[in-house]
Amino acid sequence: METRELAVVAGSFATFQVLFSVVSPLVSSAITPGYGRQPPTKFTEWNSRLVSTVHALIVGLFCLYILCFDDEVNANPVWGDPGLVKLNVAITCGYLLYDLVLLACNWSTMGDSFFVCHHLAALYAYGYVLTRGVLPYFANFRLISELSTPFVNQRWFFEALKYPRANRLVVVNGVLMAVVFFLVRIAVMPSYWASVFATFGTAEFERLGLAAQVAWITSCIALDILNVVWMYKIARGCYKVLTGRGGRRLKGGAEVSPASPDKKHVNNHTD
C-alpha cells in the first residue's frame, strides 16, 4: 500500500472519530431539540448514525463521479488506473475500521454479528484494491450501495424522536429507503455479476492470481447474501408501515412500535 493510501485510511479513521465524539453532539444539539432529550444509551448510536450518513454521502457521490467520468477504470475494470478509486476505498476502509472499534467498545448495545461480517468482508476485498490496485471498477461499483444508508439512518432518527409511524415524513422516508436500497443493492446484481463473469478466462483475470480471485468472488457472494437478507427485512418493514401493521396492540388499544427504545440495537443495514 502506498503512503498516500495509508495516510487517507488513517486520516479517515481520525476524522470520523472526531465527527463522532465532537462534531455530531454539537451539531445535533444545535439543530435537533430532541437530541438532548434522548436517554444516555441513545447518544452513542445517534452520533454513530450521523457519522454513517456523512460517510455514505461522501463515498456514494464520489462513486457516482468515478462511474460517470473515469474512462480508464470503465474501459478496463480489472486493471484500469485505480488512482481515484483507491482514494474512495481508503476513505471507506478508515470508516470501517472506526466503526469496528466503535462496535467493539459498545457491543452490549450496538453489537451485531452480521454487521461485523459485512465490515470484515469489505476490508478483506478492499485490501487488494489498496495494496495491488486491482479490480478498481468492481470495488467502486460496490460502493454505490452506500447511497441507501442515509435513508436507513433517517428512519432510526424518526423513531428516536418518537415520530408516529403513520407520519407522512416517516412513510415517505420508509418507501424511499426500500426503493433506493433495492436499486443500489439488489437491482444492480445482474449487471454486476454479468461484468464479473465476462472477465472469467481473460488474460486480465488470470493475472490476478488465485488469492485475489478468491478474495474478490467470496467477498462479493457474502455481501450479496447479506444484502438479500437486509432487503427482505426492509421490505417486510415497509409493508407493515404501508398496511398499518407497524405496531403491536396492548391492552387498552395502545400501539407500540416494533422498534421501541428498549429493544436491542439494530444496525444501519438491518432496519
Side-chain angles (χ1 to χ4, degrees):
M1 189 185 304
E2 297 180 3
T3 303
R4 184 186 69 165
E5 280 74 47
L6 278 173
V8 173
V9 172
S12 173
F13 177 89
T15 299
F16 287 122
Q17 180 60 50
V18 171
L19 285 174
F20 167 79
S21 58
V22 179
V23 178
S24 177
L26 291 176
V27 172
S28 298
S29 298
I31 67 176
T32 309
Y35 174 78
R37 296 193 294 270
Q38 297 298 309
T41 55
K42 285 284 187 180
F43 288 136
T44 297
E45 187 168 1
W46 180 295
N47 296 326
S48 72
R49 285 180 180 270
L50 190 58
V51 174
S52 170
T53 295
V54 171
H55 163 261
L57 291 174
I58 292 173
V59 171
L61 294 175
F62 196 6
C63 167
L64 290 179
Y65 173 83
I66 294 171
L67 286 175
C68 293
F69 299 108
D70 196 328
D71 295 333
E72 292 190 39
V73 167
N74 294 325
N76 188 342
V78 180
W79 293 96
D81 180 11
L84 290 179
V85 173
K86 289 174 77 173
L87 286 178
N88 209 19
V89 167
I91 293 171
T92 291
C93 286
Y95 169 79
L96 293 175
L97 291 172
Y98 139 82
D99 208 38
L100 283 173
V101 171
L102 184 66
L103 287 173
C105 293
N106 299 275
W107 187 258
S108 62
T109 56
M110 296 180 63
D112 188 295
S113 56
F114 275 147
F115 209 24
V116 172
C117 289
H118 171 273
H119 282 17
L120 293 179
L123 285 169
Y124 175 53
Y126 289 151
Y128 280 92
V129 181
L130 293 180
T131 57
R132 295 183 54 189
V134 297
L135 305 166
Y137 172 84
F138 297 104
N140 189 69
F141 196 95
R142 277 288 171 184
L143 288 176
I144 197 175
S145 64
E146 289 299 325
L147 291 173
S148 65
T149 301
F151 299 99
V152 179
N153 288 336
Q154 186 58 50
R155 176 183 181 274
W156 186 90
F157 289 132
F158 281 141
E159 290 190 346
L161 294 171
K162 302 190 185 313
Y163 275 61
R165 288 212 164 192
N167 183 284
R168 182 175 299 178
L169 290 176
V170 177
V171 173
V172 170
N173 180 76
V175 173
L176 288 175
M177 177 181 71
V179 170
V180 174
F181 195 100
F182 175 78
L183 290 176
V184 301
R185 292 176 182 265
I186 305 300
V188 297
M189 284 185 187
S191 174
Y192 179 85
W193 283 103
S195 298
V196 171
F197 292 139
T199 68
F200 287 0
T202 65
E204 288 81 3
F205 181 80
E206 297 302 326
R207 282 178 59 197
L208 288 173
L210 181 61
Q213 293 168 1
V214 171
W216 175 27
I217 302 303
T218 56
S219 64
C220 288
I221 292 173
L223 291 173
D224 278 342
I225 290 174
L226 290 175
N227 283 331
V228 170
V229 171
W230 290 328
M231 183 72 251
Y232 167 74
K233 293 185 177 182
I234 288 174
R236 185 177 61 180
C238 186
Y239 172 78
K240 289 180 179 179
V241 170
L242 292 176
T243 58
R245 300 176 182 176
R248 57 184 175 86
R249 295 286 176 181
L250 299 178
K251 291 182 179 179
E255 186 177 88
V256 177
S257 167
S260 55
D262 60 344
K263 280 192 72 175
K264 190 180 184 297
H265 165 83
V266 183
N267 71 51
N268 294 357
H269 296 283
T270 60
D271 284 354

PDB file of all heavy atoms in Angstrom, residues 78-112:
ATOM      1  N   VAL A  78     -10.603  -4.480 -14.555  1.00  0.00           N
ATOM      2  CA  VAL A  78      -9.716  -5.292 -13.722  1.00  0.00           C
ATOM      3  C   VAL A  78      -8.396  -4.581 -13.432  1.00  0.00           C
ATOM      4  O   VAL A  78      -7.898  -4.604 -12.307  1.00  0.00           O
ATOM      5  CB  VAL A  78      -9.447  -6.657 -14.383  1.00  0.00           C
ATOM      6  CG1 VAL A  78      -8.515  -7.507 -13.505  1.00  0.00           C
ATOM      7  CG2 VAL A  78     -10.745  -7.400 -14.632  1.00  0.00           C
ATOM      8  N   TRP A  79      -7.833  -3.912 -14.459  1.00  0.00           N
ATOM      9  CA  TRP A  79      -6.518  -3.306 -14.299  1.00  0.00           C
ATOM     10  C   TRP A  79      -6.491  -1.830 -14.678  1.00  0.00           C
ATOM     11  O   TRP A  79      -5.418  -1.250 -14.876  1.00  0.00           O
ATOM     12  CB  TRP A  79      -5.480  -4.055 -15.141  1.00  0.00           C
ATOM     13  CG  TRP A  79      -5.230  -5.441 -14.650  1.00  0.00           C
ATOM     14  CD1 TRP A  79      -5.795  -6.589 -15.104  1.00  0.00           C
ATOM     15  CD2 TRP A  79      -4.364  -5.826 -13.585  1.00  0.00           C
ATOM     16  NE1 TRP A  79      -5.342  -7.676 -14.409  1.00  0.00           N
ATOM     17  CE2 TRP A  79      -4.448  -7.233 -13.461  1.00  0.00           C
ATOM     18  CE3 TRP A  79      -3.515  -5.117 -12.726  1.00  0.00           C
ATOM     19  CZ2 TRP A  79      -3.719  -7.948 -12.509  1.00  0.00           C
ATOM     20  CZ3 TRP A  79      -2.783  -5.828 -11.782  1.00  0.00           C
ATOM     21  CH2 TRP A  79      -2.892  -7.222 -11.678  1.00  0.00           C
ATOM     22  N   GLY A  80      -7.635  -1.164 -14.765  1.00  0.00           N
ATOM     23  CA  GLY A  80      -7.650   0.261 -15.089  1.00  0.00           C
ATOM     24  C   GLY A  80      -6.986   1.094 -14.010  1.00  0.00           C
ATOM     25  O   GLY A  80      -6.818   0.645 -12.874  1.00  0.00           O
ATOM     26  N   ASP A  81      -6.622   2.326 -14.352  1.00  0.00           N
ATOM     27  CA  ASP A  81      -5.938   3.215 -13.404  1.00  0.00           C
ATOM     28  C   ASP A  81      -6.777   3.358 -12.124  1.00  0.00           C
ATOM     29  O   ASP A  81      -7.877   3.918 -12.158  1.00  0.00           O
ATOM     30  CB  ASP A  81      -5.731   4.584 -14.047  1.00  0.00           C
ATOM     31  CG  ASP A  81      -5.021   5.559 -13.118  1.00  0.00           C
ATOM     32  OD1 ASP A  81      -4.516   5.125 -12.069  1.00  0.00           O
ATOM     33  OD2 ASP A  81      -4.982   6.752 -13.438  1.00  0.00           O
ATOM     34  N   PRO A  82      -6.257   2.882 -10.996  1.00  0.00           N
ATOM     35  CA  PRO A  82      -7.071   2.855  -9.768  1.00  0.00           C
ATOM     36  C   PRO A  82      -6.945   4.109  -8.895  1.00  0.00           C
ATOM     37  O   PRO A  82      -7.433   4.104  -7.769  1.00  0.00           O
ATOM     38  CB  PRO A  82      -6.493   1.651  -9.026  1.00  0.00           C
ATOM     39  CG  PRO A  82      -5.032   1.707  -9.362  1.00  0.00           C
ATOM     40  CD  PRO A  82      -4.958   2.226 -10.788  1.00  0.00           C
ATOM     41  N   GLY A  83      -6.303   5.168  -9.394  1.00  0.00           N
ATOM     42  CA  GLY A  83      -5.991   6.318  -8.555  1.00  0.00           C
ATOM     43  C   GLY A  83      -7.160   6.855  -7.753  1.00  0.00           C
ATOM     44  O   GLY A  83      -7.122   6.901  -6.516  1.00  0.00           O
ATOM     45  N   LEU A  84      -8.238   7.265  -8.430  1.00  0.00           N
ATOM     46  CA  LEU A  84      -9.390   7.828  -7.730  1.00  0.00           C
ATOM     47  C   LEU A  84     -10.121   6.780  -6.906  1.00  0.00           C
ATOM     48  O   LEU A  84     -10.593   7.058  -5.794  1.00  0.00           O
ATOM     49  CB  LEU A  84     -10.355   8.468  -8.737  1.00  0.00           C
ATOM     50  CG  LEU A  84      -9.886   9.745  -9.412  1.00  0.00           C
ATOM     51  CD1 LEU A  84     -10.942  10.245 -10.404  1.00  0.00           C
ATOM     52  CD2 LEU A  84      -9.587  10.835  -8.384  1.00  0.00           C
ATOM     53  N   VAL A  85     -10.202   5.570  -7.449  1.00  0.00           N
ATOM     54  CA  VAL A  85     -10.896   4.506  -6.722  1.00  0.00           C
ATOM     55  C   VAL A  85     -10.182   4.193  -5.411  1.00  0.00           C
ATOM     56  O   VAL A  85     -10.819   3.992  -4.372  1.00  0.00           O
ATOM     57  CB  VAL A  85     -11.006   3.234  -7.593  1.00  0.00           C
ATOM     58  CG1 VAL A  85     -11.583   2.075  -6.778  1.00  0.00           C
ATOM     59  CG2 VAL A  85     -11.861   3.499  -8.816  1.00  0.00           C
ATOM     60  N   LYS A  86      -8.869   4.160  -5.438  1.00  0.00           N
ATOM     61  CA  LYS A  86      -8.117   3.865  -4.221  1.00  0.00           C
ATOM     62  C   LYS A  86      -8.361   4.928  -3.145  1.00  0.00           C
ATOM     63  O   LYS A  86      -8.423   4.609  -1.958  1.00  0.00           O
ATOM     64  CB  LYS A  86      -6.626   3.742  -4.541  1.00  0.00           C
ATOM     65  CG  LYS A  86      -6.283   2.479  -5.322  1.00  0.00           C
ATOM     66  CD  LYS A  86      -4.836   2.449  -5.763  1.00  0.00           C
ATOM     67  CE  LYS A  86      -3.908   2.103  -4.635  1.00  0.00           C
ATOM     68  NZ  LYS A  86      -2.510   1.907  -5.108  1.00  0.00           N
ATOM     69  N   LEU A  87      -8.505   6.181  -3.557  1.00  0.00           N
ATOM     70  CA  LEU A  87      -8.826   7.222  -2.585  1.00  0.00           C
ATOM     71  C   LEU A  87     -10.191   6.973  -1.953  1.00  0.00           C
ATOM     72  O   LEU A  87     -10.362   7.089  -0.735  1.00  0.00           O
ATOM     73  CB  LEU A  87      -8.801   8.597  -3.259  1.00  0.00           C
ATOM     74  CG  LEU A  87      -7.435   9.171  -3.607  1.00  0.00           C
ATOM     75  CD1 LEU A  87      -7.598  10.520  -4.317  1.00  0.00           C
ATOM     76  CD2 LEU A  87      -6.581   9.349  -2.356  1.00  0.00           C
ATOM     77  N   ASN A  88     -11.168   6.638  -2.793  1.00  0.00           N
ATOM     78  CA  ASN A  88     -12.512   6.375  -2.287  1.00  0.00           C
ATOM     79  C   ASN A  88     -12.536   5.154  -1.372  1.00  0.00           C
ATOM     80  O   ASN A  88     -13.164   5.158  -0.307  1.00  0.00           O
ATOM     81  CB  ASN A  88     -13.469   6.171  -3.467  1.00  0.00           C
ATOM     82  CG  ASN A  88     -14.891   6.593  -3.149  1.00  0.00           C
ATOM     83  OD1 ASN A  88     -15.132   7.345  -2.216  1.00  0.00           O
ATOM     84  ND2 ASN A  88     -15.845   6.127  -3.938  1.00  0.00           N
ATOM     85  N   VAL A  89     -11.845   4.113  -1.780  1.00  0.00           N
ATOM     86  CA  VAL A  89     -11.783   2.897  -0.976  1.00  0.00           C
ATOM     87  C   VAL A  89     -11.045   3.156   0.338  1.00  0.00           C
ATOM     88  O   VAL A  89     -11.431   2.627   1.392  1.00  0.00           O
ATOM     89  CB  VAL A  89     -11.094   1.769  -1.776  1.00  0.00           C
ATOM     90  CG1 VAL A  89     -10.739   0.591  -0.869  1.00  0.00           C
ATOM     91  CG2 VAL A  89     -12.003   1.289  -2.904  1.00  0.00           C
ATOM     92  N   ALA A  90      -9.992   3.971   0.299  1.00  0.00           N
ATOM     93  CA  ALA A  90      -9.241   4.280   1.514  1.00  0.00           C
ATOM     94  C   ALA A  90     -10.118   5.025   2.517  1.00  0.00           C
ATOM     95  O   ALA A  90     -10.041   4.778   3.730  1.00  0.00           O
ATOM     96  CB  ALA A  90      -8.005   5.105   1.171  1.00  0.00           C
ATOM     97  N   ILE A  91     -10.956   5.939   2.028  1.00  0.00           N
ATOM     98  CA  ILE A  91     -11.889   6.634   2.919  1.00  0.00           C
ATOM     99  C   ILE A  91     -12.819   5.628   3.590  1.00  0.00           C
ATOM    100  O   ILE A  91     -13.063   5.684   4.803  1.00  0.00           O
ATOM    101  CB  ILE A  91     -12.702   7.678   2.135  1.00  0.00           C
ATOM    102  CG1 ILE A  91     -11.796   8.810   1.643  1.00  0.00           C
ATOM    103  CG2 ILE A  91     -13.834   8.248   2.997  1.00  0.00           C
ATOM    104  CD1 ILE A  91     -12.475   9.767   0.687  1.00  0.00           C
ATOM    105  N   THR A  92     -13.326   4.704   2.798  1.00  0.00           N
ATOM    106  CA  THR A  92     -14.240   3.697   3.341  1.00  0.00           C
ATOM    107  C   THR A  92     -13.539   2.767   4.319  1.00  0.00           C
ATOM    108  O   THR A  92     -14.105   2.407   5.364  1.00  0.00           O
ATOM    109  CB  THR A  92     -14.853   2.882   2.190  1.00  0.00           C
ATOM    110  OG1 THR A  92     -15.743   3.716   1.449  1.00  0.00           O
ATOM    111  CG2 THR A  92     -15.630   1.681   2.713  1.00  0.00           C
ATOM    112  N   CYS A  93     -12.311   2.371   4.025  1.00  0.00           N
ATOM    113  CA  CYS A  93     -11.587   1.487   4.945  1.00  0.00           C
ATOM    114  C   CYS A  93     -11.352   2.177   6.286  1.00  0.00           C
ATOM    115  O   CYS A  93     -11.466   1.548   7.348  1.00  0.00           O
ATOM    116  CB  CYS A  93     -10.255   1.067   4.321  1.00  0.00           C
ATOM    117  SG  CYS A  93     -10.427  -0.151   2.997  1.00  0.00           S
ATOM    118  N   GLY A  94     -11.028   3.474   6.252  1.00  0.00           N
ATOM    119  CA  GLY A  94     -10.883   4.212   7.502  1.00  0.00           C
ATOM    120  C   GLY A  94     -12.168   4.238   8.289  1.00  0.00           C
ATOM    121  O   GLY A  94     -12.168   4.072   9.521  1.00  0.00           O
ATOM    122  N   TYR A  95     -13.277   4.419   7.567  1.00  0.00           N
ATOM    123  CA  TYR A  95     -14.581   4.416   8.238  1.00  0.00           C
ATOM    124  C   TYR A  95     -14.895   3.041   8.819  1.00  0.00           C
ATOM    125  O   TYR A  95     -15.381   2.929   9.959  1.00  0.00           O
ATOM    126  CB  TYR A  95     -15.683   4.818   7.261  1.00  0.00           C
ATOM    127  CG  TYR A  95     -17.064   4.579   7.829  1.00  0.00           C
ATOM    128  CD1 TYR A  95     -17.615   5.466   8.741  1.00  0.00           C
ATOM    129  CD2 TYR A  95     -17.788   3.440   7.476  1.00  0.00           C
ATOM    130  CE1 TYR A  95     -18.857   5.240   9.301  1.00  0.00           C
ATOM    131  CE2 TYR A  95     -19.038   3.204   8.027  1.00  0.00           C
ATOM    132  CZ  TYR A  95     -19.569   4.101   8.932  1.00  0.00           C
ATOM    133  OH  TYR A  95     -20.792   3.858   9.483  1.00  0.00           O
ATOM    134  N   LEU A  96     -14.648   1.981   8.067  1.00  0.00           N
ATOM    135  CA  LEU A  96     -14.953   0.633   8.544  1.00  0.00           C
ATOM    136  C   LEU A  96     -14.143   0.292   9.795  1.00  0.00           C
ATOM    137  O   LEU A  96     -14.657  -0.328  10.733  1.00  0.00           O
ATOM    138  CB  LEU A  96     -14.674  -0.387   7.443  1.00  0.00           C
ATOM    139  CG  LEU A  96     -15.573  -0.322   6.209  1.00  0.00           C
ATOM    140  CD1 LEU A  96     -15.101  -1.312   5.148  1.00  0.00           C
ATOM    141  CD2 LEU A  96     -17.027  -0.592   6.578  1.00  0.00           C
ATOM    142  N   LEU A  97     -12.877   0.692   9.821  1.00  0.00           N
ATOM    143  CA  LEU A  97     -12.048   0.446  10.997  1.00  0.00           C
ATOM    144  C   LEU A  97     -12.566   1.231  12.204  1.00  0.00           C
ATOM    145  O   LEU A  97     -12.641   0.697  13.313  1.00  0.00           O
ATOM    146  CB  LEU A  97     -10.599   0.826  10.698  1.00  0.00           C
ATOM    147  CG  LEU A  97      -9.866  -0.071   9.696  1.00  0.00           C
ATOM    148  CD1 LEU A  97      -8.518   0.528   9.332  1.00  0.00           C
ATOM    149  CD2 LEU A  97      -9.687  -1.479  10.259  1.00  0.00           C
ATOM    150  N   TYR A  98     -12.921   2.501  11.967  1.00  0.00           N
ATOM    151  CA  TYR A  98     -13.509   3.306  13.050  1.00  0.00           C
ATOM    152  C   TYR A  98     -14.782   2.640  13.583  1.00  0.00           C
ATOM    153  O   TYR A  98     -14.998   2.553  14.798  1.00  0.00           O
ATOM    154  CB  TYR A  98     -13.820   4.716  12.538  1.00  0.00           C
ATOM    155  CG  TYR A  98     -15.135   5.270  13.013  1.00  0.00           C
ATOM    156  CD1 TYR A  98     -15.264   5.870  14.271  1.00  0.00           C
ATOM    157  CD2 TYR A  98     -16.284   5.172  12.211  1.00  0.00           C
ATOM    158  CE1 TYR A  98     -16.493   6.349  14.708  1.00  0.00           C
ATOM    159  CE2 TYR A  98     -17.498   5.654  12.644  1.00  0.00           C
ATOM    160  CZ  TYR A  98     -17.606   6.243  13.897  1.00  0.00           C
ATOM    161  OH  TYR A  98     -18.817   6.706  14.334  1.00  0.00           O
ATOM    162  N   ASP A  99     -15.622   2.149  12.681  1.00  0.00           N
ATOM    163  CA  ASP A  99     -16.901   1.579  13.094  1.00  0.00           C
ATOM    164  C   ASP A  99     -16.718   0.250  13.820  1.00  0.00           C
ATOM    165  O   ASP A  99     -17.461  -0.062  14.754  1.00  0.00           O
ATOM    166  CB  ASP A  99     -17.796   1.394  11.870  1.00  0.00           C
ATOM    167  CG  ASP A  99     -19.275   1.481  12.221  1.00  0.00           C
ATOM    168  OD1 ASP A  99     -19.632   2.318  13.083  1.00  0.00           O
ATOM    169  OD2 ASP A  99     -20.073   0.718  11.644  1.00  0.00           O
ATOM    170  N   LEU A 100     -15.736  -0.542  13.403  1.00  0.00           N
ATOM    171  CA  LEU A 100     -15.459  -1.790  14.110  1.00  0.00           C
ATOM    172  C   LEU A 100     -14.992  -1.515  15.539  1.00  0.00           C
ATOM    173  O   LEU A 100     -15.383  -2.220  16.478  1.00  0.00           O
ATOM    174  CB  LEU A 100     -14.404  -2.597  13.350  1.00  0.00           C
ATOM    175  CG  LEU A 100     -14.885  -3.341  12.100  1.00  0.00           C
ATOM    176  CD1 LEU A 100     -13.692  -3.953  11.361  1.00  0.00           C
ATOM    177  CD2 LEU A 100     -15.898  -4.426  12.454  1.00  0.00           C
ATOM    178  N   VAL A 101     -14.157  -0.512  15.711  1.00  0.00           N
ATOM    179  CA  VAL A 101     -13.714  -0.136  17.056  1.00  0.00           C
ATOM    180  C   VAL A 101     -14.903   0.325  17.888  1.00  0.00           C
ATOM    181  O   VAL A 101     -15.050  -0.039  19.065  1.00  0.00           O
ATOM    182  CB  VAL A 101     -12.639   0.966  16.984  1.00  0.00           C
ATOM    183  CG1 VAL A 101     -12.332   1.514  18.374  1.00  0.00           C
ATOM    184  CG2 VAL A 101     -11.373   0.439  16.332  1.00  0.00           C
ATOM    185  N   LEU A 102     -15.781   1.125  17.270  1.00  0.00           N
ATOM    186  CA  LEU A 102     -16.971   1.607  17.978  1.00  0.00           C
ATOM    187  C   LEU A 102     -17.870   0.454  18.396  1.00  0.00           C
ATOM    188  O   LEU A 102     -18.378   0.416  19.523  1.00  0.00           O
ATOM    189  CB  LEU A 102     -17.739   2.575  17.079  1.00  0.00           C
ATOM    190  CG  LEU A 102     -18.970   3.251  17.693  1.00  0.00           C
ATOM    191  CD1 LEU A 102     -18.545   4.193  18.815  1.00  0.00           C
ATOM    192  CD2 LEU A 102     -19.739   4.018  16.625  1.00  0.00           C
ATOM    193  N   LEU A 103     -18.071  -0.506  17.501  1.00  0.00           N
ATOM    194  CA  LEU A 103     -18.896  -1.666  17.819  1.00  0.00           C
ATOM    195  C   LEU A 103     -18.282  -2.481  18.959  1.00  0.00           C
ATOM    196  O   LEU A 103     -18.984  -2.934  19.871  1.00  0.00           O
ATOM    197  CB  LEU A 103     -19.065  -2.546  16.584  1.00  0.00           C
ATOM    198  CG  LEU A 103     -19.981  -2.029  15.480  1.00  0.00           C
ATOM    199  CD1 LEU A 103     -19.905  -2.940  14.265  1.00  0.00           C
ATOM    200  CD2 LEU A 103     -21.418  -1.924  15.971  1.00  0.00           C
ATOM    201  N   ALA A 104     -16.961  -2.667  18.892  1.00  0.00           N
ATOM    202  CA  ALA A 104     -16.294  -3.453  19.931  1.00  0.00           C
ATOM    203  C   ALA A 104     -16.413  -2.787  21.298  1.00  0.00           C
ATOM    204  O   ALA A 104     -16.578  -3.465  22.316  1.00  0.00           O
ATOM    205  CB  ALA A 104     -14.818  -3.640  19.565  1.00  0.00           C
ATOM    206  N   CYS A 105     -16.350  -1.465  21.319  1.00  0.00           N
ATOM    207  CA  CYS A 105     -16.421  -0.733  22.583  1.00  0.00           C
ATOM    208  C   CYS A 105     -17.849  -0.635  23.125  1.00  0.00           C
ATOM    209  O   CYS A 105     -18.042  -0.323  24.301  1.00  0.00           O
ATOM    210  CB  CYS A 105     -15.847   0.665  22.413  1.00  0.00           C
ATOM    211  SG  CYS A 105     -14.072   0.703  22.075  1.00  0.00           S
ATOM    212  N   ASN A 106     -18.840  -0.891  22.254  1.00  0.00           N
ATOM    213  CA  ASN A 106     -20.238  -0.767  22.671  1.00  0.00           C
ATOM    214  C   ASN A 106     -21.032  -2.016  22.261  1.00  0.00           C
ATOM    215  O   ASN A 106     -22.173  -1.913  21.823  1.00  0.00           O
ATOM    216  CB  ASN A 106     -20.869   0.476  22.033  1.00  0.00           C
ATOM    217  CG  ASN A 106     -20.188   1.757  22.449  1.00  0.00           C
ATOM    218  OD1 ASN A 106     -20.496   2.339  23.489  1.00  0.00           O
ATOM    219  ND2 ASN A 106     -19.248   2.213  21.630  1.00  0.00           N
ATOM    220  N   TRP A 107     -20.409  -3.168  22.426  1.00  0.00           N
ATOM    221  CA  TRP A 107     -21.010  -4.392  21.910  1.00  0.00           C
ATOM    222  C   TRP A 107     -22.351  -4.723  22.565  1.00  0.00           C
ATOM    223  O   TRP A 107     -23.266  -5.219  21.910  1.00  0.00           O
ATOM    224  CB  TRP A 107     -20.057  -5.561  22.075  1.00  0.00           C
ATOM    225  CG  TRP A 107     -20.562  -6.801  21.396  1.00  0.00           C
ATOM    226  CD1 TRP A 107     -21.166  -7.880  21.957  1.00  0.00           C
ATOM    227  CD2 TRP A 107     -20.531  -7.056  19.987  1.00  0.00           C
ATOM    228  NE1 TRP A 107     -21.504  -8.806  21.001  1.00  0.00           N
ATOM    229  CE2 TRP A 107     -21.130  -8.323  19.783  1.00  0.00           C
ATOM    230  CE3 TRP A 107     -20.051  -6.353  18.885  1.00  0.00           C
ATOM    231  CZ2 TRP A 107     -21.261  -8.896  18.508  1.00  0.00           C
ATOM    232  CZ3 TRP A 107     -20.185  -6.921  17.619  1.00  0.00           C
ATOM    233  CH2 TRP A 107     -20.780  -8.176  17.443  1.00  0.00           C
ATOM    234  N   SER A 108     -22.495  -4.434  23.818  1.00  0.00           N
ATOM    235  CA  SER A 108     -23.728  -4.804  24.524  1.00  0.00           C
ATOM    236  C   SER A 108     -24.948  -4.061  23.979  1.00  0.00           C
ATOM    237  O   SER A 108     -26.076  -4.567  24.068  1.00  0.00           O
ATOM    238  CB  SER A 108     -23.588  -4.533  26.019  1.00  0.00           C
ATOM    239  OG  SER A 108     -23.369  -3.151  26.257  1.00  0.00           O
ATOM    240  N   THR A 109     -24.752  -2.878  23.427  1.00  0.00           N
ATOM    241  CA  THR A 109     -25.876  -2.092  22.909  1.00  0.00           C
ATOM    242  C   THR A 109     -25.888  -1.985  21.397  1.00  0.00           C
ATOM    243  O   THR A 109     -26.934  -1.752  20.799  1.00  0.00           O
ATOM    244  CB  THR A 109     -25.855  -0.665  23.496  1.00  0.00           C
ATOM    245  OG1 THR A 109     -24.591  -0.057  23.209  1.00  0.00           O
ATOM    246  CG2 THR A 109     -26.067  -0.701  24.998  1.00  0.00           C
ATOM    247  N   MET A 110     -24.726  -2.130  20.747  1.00  0.00           N
ATOM    248  CA  MET A 110     -24.656  -1.930  19.302  1.00  0.00           C
ATOM    249  C   MET A 110     -24.135  -3.140  18.544  1.00  0.00           C
ATOM    250  O   MET A 110     -24.079  -3.123  17.320  1.00  0.00           O
ATOM    251  CB  MET A 110     -23.757  -0.718  18.984  1.00  0.00           C
ATOM    252  CG  MET A 110     -24.279   0.602  19.506  1.00  0.00           C
ATOM    253  SD  MET A 110     -23.185   1.981  19.085  1.00  0.00           S
ATOM    254  CE  MET A 110     -23.277   1.963  17.291  1.00  0.00           C
ATOM    255  N   GLY A 111     -23.723  -4.165  19.246  1.00  0.00           N
ATOM    256  CA  GLY A 111     -23.109  -5.311  18.590  1.00  0.00           C
ATOM    257  C   GLY A 111     -24.046  -6.039  17.649  1.00  0.00           C
ATOM    258  O   GLY A 111     -25.219  -6.234  17.962  1.00  0.00           O
ATOM    259  N   ASP A 112     -23.528  -6.423  16.497  1.00  0.00           N
ATOM    260  CA  ASP A 112     -24.323  -7.163  15.511  1.00  0.00           C
ATOM    261  C   ASP A 112     -23.363  -8.000  14.678  1.00  0.00           C
ATOM    262  O   ASP A 112     -22.487  -7.456  13.994  1.00  0.00           O
ATOM    263  CB  ASP A 112     -25.113  -6.205  14.632  1.00  0.00           C
ATOM    264  CG  ASP A 112     -26.094  -6.928  13.722  1.00  0.00           C
ATOM    265  OD1 ASP A 112     -25.619  -7.675  12.836  1.00  0.00           O
ATOM    266  OD2 ASP A 112     -27.304  -6.754  13.887  1.00  0.00           O
TER     267      ASP A 112
END
